[in-house]
Amino acid sequence: MSHKYGIPGPVTGNSSMGASLVHDDMGSLSALVSEIFRQRGISTFSFSPAELMKEGTPEYSEPLRYLEKGVVPIMYGDVYLAGDRYEIYSGDRIMLDLCKTGIFTRSVFLTDVDGIYDKDPRKFSDAKLLPKIEGKIEFTRREGDVTGGMALKYASMNEIKKYVREVYLMNGNYPERMAQIGTSGFLGTVMN
């Protein structure tokens, strides 16, 4: 949607409308994710990149303060104002930033597919899930995807792997599968 409104790009009437829509959509998604956690007895608090940006750089002290108190910070990619432009700070970049702090041992990416495949499962019915990543993988970019899609997730996973023991990618439409992380029954892709 952001691409349709010229985001990232200069502030205009059109991009401001798009920023409003994207920000509201991401806030709604965050509320849904928080509700899933609360249903399982886990307290959460949501943070948007727009709230975390200090002179173009995200500041994570507030979410980490909540984490220290036992409250799970929910952070997500979103649009934010940078001078006279709207920019996007992706959830992938947030995860990389947080893993660089050295306080996490695992990173879990939630997507709308079960993991990384040998080819696009939306286009090829014979696509095979790659349960474990070893070596380099090439990706094609999807039209209109300003966040980088699976290629950026894979690149982020590779970078994050420098800071944590394991990096997982799984389908977030099935939150019950999170209990399988680290087991032989895990459905998704792991890089360790």
PDB file of all heavy atoms in Angstrom, residues 42-43 53 97-98 101 107 125 134 153 179-180:
ATOM      1  N   ILE A  42       0.056 -13.353  28.634  1.00  0.00           N
ATOM      2  CA  ILE A  42       1.306 -12.602  28.494  1.00  0.00           C
ATOM      3  C   ILE A  42       0.983 -11.130  28.267  1.00  0.00           C
ATOM      4  O   ILE A  42       0.277 -10.775  27.322  1.00  0.00           O
ATOM      5  CB  ILE A  42       2.150 -13.151  27.318  1.00  0.00           C
ATOM      6  CG1 ILE A  42       2.483 -14.632  27.563  1.00  0.00           C
ATOM      7  CG2 ILE A  42       3.416 -12.327  27.126  1.00  0.00           C
ATOM      8  CD1 ILE A  42       3.078 -15.334  26.357  1.00  0.00           C
ATOM      9  N   SER A  43       1.495 -10.271  29.129  1.00  0.00           N
ATOM     10  CA  SER A  43       1.274  -8.821  29.000  1.00  0.00           C
ATOM     11  C   SER A  43       2.178  -8.251  27.920  1.00  0.00           C
ATOM     12  O   SER A  43       3.341  -8.639  27.790  1.00  0.00           O
ATOM     13  CB  SER A  43       1.586  -8.127  30.327  1.00  0.00           C
ATOM     14  OG  SER A  43       0.740  -8.610  31.336  1.00  0.00           O
ATOM     15  N   MET A  53      11.844   6.755  17.005  1.00  0.00           N
ATOM     16  CA  MET A  53      12.847   7.499  16.237  1.00  0.00           C
ATOM     17  C   MET A  53      13.296   8.763  16.954  1.00  0.00           C
ATOM     18  O   MET A  53      12.481   9.589  17.365  1.00  0.00           O
ATOM     19  CB  MET A  53      12.308   7.875  14.859  1.00  0.00           C
ATOM     20  CG  MET A  53      12.218   6.740  13.911  1.00  0.00           C
ATOM     21  SD  MET A  53      13.853   6.078  13.550  1.00  0.00           S
ATOM     22  CE  MET A  53      13.392   4.626  12.657  1.00  0.00           C
ATOM     23  N   ASP A  97      18.428  -4.618  14.918  1.00  0.00           N
ATOM     24  CA  ASP A  97      18.862  -3.662  15.949  1.00  0.00           C
ATOM     25  C   ASP A  97      18.823  -4.300  17.330  1.00  0.00           C
ATOM     26  O   ASP A  97      19.772  -4.179  18.113  1.00  0.00           O
ATOM     27  CB  ASP A  97      17.953  -2.425  15.972  1.00  0.00           C
ATOM     28  CG  ASP A  97      18.051  -1.556  14.734  1.00  0.00           C
ATOM     29  OD1 ASP A  97      19.000  -1.707  13.952  1.00  0.00           O
ATOM     30  OD2 ASP A  97      17.142  -0.716  14.563  1.00  0.00           O
ATOM     31  N   LEU A  98      17.719  -4.985  17.634  1.00  0.00           N
ATOM     32  CA  LEU A  98      17.562  -5.574  18.962  1.00  0.00           C
ATOM     33  C   LEU A  98      18.539  -6.724  19.199  1.00  0.00           C
ATOM     34  O   LEU A  98      19.085  -6.860  20.298  1.00  0.00           O
ATOM     35  CB  LEU A  98      16.119  -6.051  19.164  1.00  0.00           C
ATOM     36  CG  LEU A  98      15.097  -4.928  19.276  1.00  0.00           C
ATOM     37  CD1 LEU A  98      13.684  -5.488  19.231  1.00  0.00           C
ATOM     38  CD2 LEU A  98      15.320  -4.110  20.540  1.00  0.00           C
ATOM     39  N   THR A 101      21.976  -5.928  20.468  1.00  0.00           N
ATOM     40  CA  THR A 101      22.163  -5.564  21.878  1.00  0.00           C
ATOM     41  C   THR A 101      22.839  -6.682  22.667  1.00  0.00           C
ATOM     42  O   THR A 101      23.365  -6.438  23.747  1.00  0.00           O
ATOM     43  CB  THR A 101      20.817  -5.221  22.562  1.00  0.00           C
ATOM     44  OG1 THR A 101      20.005  -6.405  22.640  1.00  0.00           O
ATOM     45  CG2 THR A 101      20.088  -4.100  21.835  1.00  0.00           C
ATOM     46  N   SER A 107      15.893 -15.399  17.467  1.00  0.00           N
ATOM     47  CA  SER A 107      15.111 -14.421  16.733  1.00  0.00           C
ATOM     48  C   SER A 107      14.077 -15.189  15.925  1.00  0.00           C
ATOM     49  O   SER A 107      14.404 -16.202  15.301  1.00  0.00           O
ATOM     50  CB  SER A 107      16.022 -13.615  15.809  1.00  0.00           C
ATOM     51  OG  SER A 107      15.270 -12.730  15.020  1.00  0.00           O
ATOM     52  N   SER A 125       3.260 -24.595  -7.317  1.00  0.00           N
ATOM     53  CA  SER A 125       2.662 -25.584  -6.418  1.00  0.00           C
ATOM     54  C   SER A 125       3.665 -26.643  -5.973  1.00  0.00           C
ATOM     55  O   SER A 125       3.454 -27.315  -4.966  1.00  0.00           O
ATOM     56  CB  SER A 125       1.457 -26.250  -7.091  1.00  0.00           C
ATOM     57  OG  SER A 125       1.859 -26.919  -8.274  1.00  0.00           O
ATOM     58  N   GLU A 134      21.293 -23.572   4.710  1.00  0.00           N
ATOM     59  CA  GLU A 134      22.751 -23.687   4.653  1.00  0.00           C
ATOM     60  C   GLU A 134      23.168 -23.192   3.280  1.00  0.00           C
ATOM     61  O   GLU A 134      22.637 -23.638   2.283  1.00  0.00           O
ATOM     62  CB  GLU A 134      23.188 -25.136   4.862  1.00  0.00           C
ATOM     63  CG  GLU A 134      22.854 -25.662   6.244  1.00  0.00           C
ATOM     64  CD  GLU A 134      23.192 -27.138   6.413  1.00  0.00           C
ATOM     65  OE1 GLU A 134      23.694 -27.758   5.468  1.00  0.00           O
ATOM     66  OE2 GLU A 134      22.926 -27.655   7.500  1.00  0.00           O
ATOM     67  N   LYS A 153      14.284 -10.506   4.394  1.00  0.00           N
ATOM     68  CA  LYS A 153      14.202 -11.357   5.578  1.00  0.00           C
ATOM     69  C   LYS A 153      15.396 -12.316   5.626  1.00  0.00           C
ATOM     70  O   LYS A 153      16.016 -12.497   6.669  1.00  0.00           O
ATOM     71  CB  LYS A 153      12.890 -12.124   5.606  1.00  0.00           C
ATOM     72  CG  LYS A 153      11.742 -11.238   6.020  1.00  0.00           C
ATOM     73  CD  LYS A 153      10.472 -11.973   6.140  1.00  0.00           C
ATOM     74  CE  LYS A 153       9.303 -11.064   6.412  1.00  0.00           C
ATOM     75  NZ  LYS A 153       9.446  -9.655   6.239  1.00  0.00           N
ATOM     76  N   ALA A 179       5.201 -22.908  19.978  1.00  0.00           N
ATOM     77  CA  ALA A 179       5.608 -23.894  20.985  1.00  0.00           C
ATOM     78  C   ALA A 179       6.528 -24.952  20.392  1.00  0.00           C
ATOM     79  O   ALA A 179       7.229 -25.644  21.136  1.00  0.00           O
ATOM     80  CB  ALA A 179       4.376 -24.546  21.606  1.00  0.00           C
ATOM     81  N   GLN A 180       6.566 -25.079  19.065  1.00  0.00           N
ATOM     82  CA  GLN A 180       7.413 -26.074  18.395  1.00  0.00           C
ATOM     83  C   GLN A 180       8.844 -25.572  18.161  1.00  0.00           C
ATOM     84  O   GLN A 180       9.702 -26.350  17.749  1.00  0.00           O
ATOM     85  CB  GLN A 180       6.804 -26.458  17.046  1.00  0.00           C
ATOM     86  CG  GLN A 180       5.432 -27.070  17.135  1.00  0.00           C
ATOM     87  CD  GLN A 180       4.802 -27.219  15.750  1.00  0.00           C
ATOM     88  OE1 GLN A 180       5.210 -26.583  14.774  1.00  0.00           O
ATOM     89  NE2 GLN A 180       3.775 -28.053  15.668  1.00  0.00           N
TER      90      GLN A 180
END
